[in-house]
Amino acid sequence: MKKTVALSLVLLFFINAVKAQHSIARRWNEAVLTGIRGDFARPTVHARNLFHTSVAMYDAWAVYTDHADTYLLGKTVHGFSAPFSGTPPPANVREAQEEAISHAVYRLLKHRFAESPGRVPFLAHIDFLMDSLGYDRHNASINFKCGPAELGNYIAQQLIAYGLQDGSNEAGGYQNLHYTPVNPPLVVAIPGNISVHDLNRWQPLQLAQIIDQSGNPIAGNTQLSLSPEWGQVLPFSLQPEDASIYNRDGFDYWVYHDPGPPPQWELTTTTGPTEDYKWGHELVAVWSSQLDPSDGVLWDISPASIGNIQDYPQTVEGLRDFYNLFEGGDISSGHPLNPATGESYQPQIVPRGDYARVLAEFWADGPDSETPPGHWFSILNYVNDHPMLEKKMQGQGPVLDDLEWDVKAYFILGGAMHDVAIAAWGIKGWYDSSRPVTALRGMAELGQSSDPNLPNYHPGGLELIPGYVEIIQPGDTLQGLNGRYIGDIKILAWKGPNFVNNPGTDVAGVGWIRAKEWWSFQRPSFVTPPFGGYVSGHSTYSRAAAEVLTALTGDAYFPGGMGEFFCEKNQFLVFEDGPSVDLTLQWATYRDASDQCSLSRIWGGIHPPFDDIPGRLIGEKIGVEAFAFAQQYFTKTPVPQEPYKMGIYPNPASCGVQLTFEVEGQIPIRIYASDGRLVCTHELTFTDKTAYLNLCELSSGLYTIVGFEGKKNRVFEGKVMVITP
């Protein structure tokens, strides 16, 4: 599996062939993904890069379109104004859009990736792309009255200026300004965790060498927390009323869609939240024992047996019925039929250990290190290339041309991924929760908490699970020299990178190890991400993206009822050799893919279940909200004349709104969906020029409220964004 960016002459020679197949927006999105693959693995930063480049493409397209409105250009967004007084109409609209898009994204990428470790090949790549398109990359003018190139440059300039004041600390290299970890580093090469102060809080790791998931060496040997203050970054569709603001050490942590704290470990008790904490982290340890492809356990990994989850637990207690502790996996039942073919899905029987290991690596940062938000852009592009996809917004209306489809799809998905980064990392920063390697090794230091009559008892220690978590007895192969480890706790788990001398040929396998030496299924130069665990970013990103793709296409299923990714025997894995057989990851629906991604982080040793489910639930909200919020820009609404102005508050709204208009008495109104459908009618009574409208019956989306005098005479019109809780 390729993990580095390498530009080849073959790619360059075939670039013009690609041009004939894909829109200009697609080509520049692929360029963005190439830049991400060569940069440091920073999912928050790259979610922002994907959003801003998507805005650049969308605005450059919308300027030359009579039926769409811009997002930033000519607007004030979060107090930032991007002045724009129009540009002369072009002789050829499509050519103008393509040139403006190219200059906008090119200039923005030159700025954003100027310090990337992969900047030399990447900047050469985008230079070549501009040259191959026939554009003058030396034209840096921002006089948008001159033409599309200058307009594109101006859009990039405005996005750069917006980004320098959006709370990300881009000018400071995205460094933290306030956050400091409470725990000293865990030296992973030394068994146990004697240095930890608080098992509930994030602990940086000290490694012999740190190499991020994009393959970049990181200076120093101790992790620095990534983006714990990201909750203050300006969002896309997230609303202030969705945020709780907490203060610690003089800094305000913005927490959108606050799920409340995760289960908390306590030193002196074995019940309540402590019991949930132990169960969650020990499930990670038990699932680590399932990473052996030679254990004889075979699974059908086709959509016939996996996927189709209808409900998710809403409480920590409900997690125990959702996940299968000893067998692995969840409550998914699979799909009886492929709706596109009307036939059953073909079973695919493979070793469970291969499936779990492939999931852990495939979903970690994407198959080519594009980070989780970039991975979902790759999945979107995969969907867009499918011959059975009809490019109709929400599956309705006219078929959109490739450029319009791409700029709208990227705009929506980019906004959603950016909002996920803000929400998930805001939660991570505030709750600052630990990872399994900290928790498992820390509790192993204390002993076992199951039975006071057994050796090495401590109420804060690990719960014994026969066959998985046990006490080292005399005569055990792990007892050590002169029995020094007798009474310690052992875990049946993946044996770790010390058993992999050559990842291309060796497999560590599963066996009994001292709990103090437990490893996540990762490289020894990485082990676990450099930020708090709760909530899972992967779960949140994936579920939000799944909701966007479902709404965008108007279909929960991948085109043809199946999405696939092939993994060749002994060629795909990089942590160790494998898989032992050819296998193909398969998903019937976008939500199935999202759910699979969530499980991958448990098998990978990165998250306990209580990090996962809140992320899925929050991601669902964000995906729906971002899609609904984006719709307002796809219809250019003429500015109403003075008599037709109406106040709507709040907007967006979740249930009801207050309308203000220069009228008294009863007014019939009609509410239309964004596609023009009449949704409902009401009779409003205006008293003191104010009326109240109940919107609880409406689903999330953009609606137009029209008031009438008689049957045809409109007296007011306004738009409201409805976001259902």
Side-chain angles (χ1 to χ4, degrees), residues 192-342:
N193 191 358
I194 60 173
S195 63
V196 68
H197 294 162
D198 187 345
L199 286 181
N200 295 307
R201 303 287 292 276
W202 181 71
Q203 181 180 34
L205 304 184
Q206 182 175 316
L207 307 171
Q209 181 185 21
I210 300 178
I211 299 177
D212 72 13
Q213 288 189 283
S214 293
N216 298 300
I218 305 299
N221 64 353
T222 301
Q223 290 179 333
L224 298 175
S225 181
L226 175 72
S227 306
E229 300 161 8
W230 208 256
Q232 283 201 2
V233 174
L234 298 178
F236 174 57
S237 66
L238 297 173
Q239 298 299 311
E241 56 264 31
D242 295 329
S244 300
I245 302 175
Y246 303 108
N247 188 279
R248 183 173 65 226
D249 299 328
F251 180 75
D252 286 339
Y253 288 84
W254 281 58
V255 179
Y256 290 92
H257 298 300
D258 183 8
Q264 299 290 291
W265 174 87
E266 294 184 22
L267 182 65
T268 59
T269 184
T270 60
T271 59
T274 294
E275 184 178 13
D276 295 326
Y277 177 98
K278 293 179 182 180
W279 175 85
H281 285 293
E282 291 194 51
L283 180 140
V284 176
V286 172
W287 281 28
S288 180
S289 73
Q290 299 161 7
L291 299 174
D292 188 349
S294 64
D295 63 8
V297 179
L298 300 178
W299 276 13
D300 175 17
I301 64 168
S302 77
S305 298
I306 291 178
N308 199 22
I309 297 176
Q310 299 298 315
D311 296 296
Y312 299 89
Q314 302 294 314
T315 64
V316 173
E317 294 75 19
L319 300 177
R320 298 177 189 246
D321 294 327
F322 184 82
Y323 300 91
N324 191 319
L325 173 62
F326 296 116
E327 299 300 325
D330 53 32
I331 62 171
S332 64
S333 58
H335 299 264
L337 295 174
N338 181 331
T341 65

Side-chain angles (χ1 to χ4, degrees), residues 533-593:
Y534 181 79
V535 296
S536 167
H538 278 69
S539 294
T540 318
Y541 277 127
S542 293
R543 189 51 187 253
E547 293 302 318
V548 167
L549 267 63
T550 298
L552 176 69
T553 62
D555 192 346
Y557 287 80
F558 278 84
M562 178 84 87
E564 295 186 311
F565 184 87
F566 175 69
C567 304
E568 184 178 356
K569 174 182 177 180
N570 294 330
Q571 296 298 314
F572 180 76
L573 298 183
V574 296
F575 304 163
E576 61 181 5
D577 194 25
S580 66
V581 298
D582 287 345
L583 67 82
T584 301
L585 298 180
Q586 297 177 319
W587 322 285
T589 69
Y590 305 113
R591 291 167 183 145
D592 290 348

